[in-house]
Amino acid sequence: MEFPKFLLGDNTDYPSAIFVVHTEYPRFIINLENDEVEWLEDFSPEDEKELESEAENLIEQANLFYDREVSRYED
């Protein structure tokens, strides 16, 4: 099964949280309420250096995805 690059998630146990799940490597979940990121991968020290530069871009993409999805509901 193929998944989209980003998925929206919510949970009634966290009523004010908005989760975006990044399904491609490096996989992560970001809570847009507080920008907390949970990485779903184990990284070597070398990977962490590369991840630092890519993480900002991926998080920005997650925010843009959320904005796009919300705008589609409003239309």
Side-chain angles (χ1 to χ4, degrees):
M1 176 188 312
E2 241 181 89
F3 293 105
K5 184 175 182 175
F6 292 104
L7 299 169
L8 282 179
D10 66 356
N11 186 300
T12 56
D13 292 334
Y14 303 90
S16 61
I18 300 167
F19 299 103
V20 175
V21 181
H22 182 253
T23 63
E24 297 176 358
Y25 183 85
R27 297 171 304 145
F28 65 88
I29 300 171
I30 182 170
N31 180 347
L32 297 180
E33 175 188 31
N34 57 16
D35 291 334
E36 184 177 337
V37 176
E38 179 70 30
W39 297 98
L40 305 175
E41 311 284 355
D42 292 324
F43 299 107
S44 69
E46 295 82 22
D47 289 340
E48 287 181 14
K49 291 177 186 173
E50 183 179 325
L51 180 64
E52 287 176 18
S53 62
E54 182 149 350
E56 186 177 330
N57 182 41
L58 289 171
I59 291 168
E60 182 178 329
Q61 287 179 31
N63 278 287
L64 291 172
F65 164 77
Y66 173 75
D67 291 343
R68 185 193 77 184
E69 292 298 298
V70 169
S71 75
R72 289 178 175 176
Y73 285 113
E74 293 171 349
D75 289 340

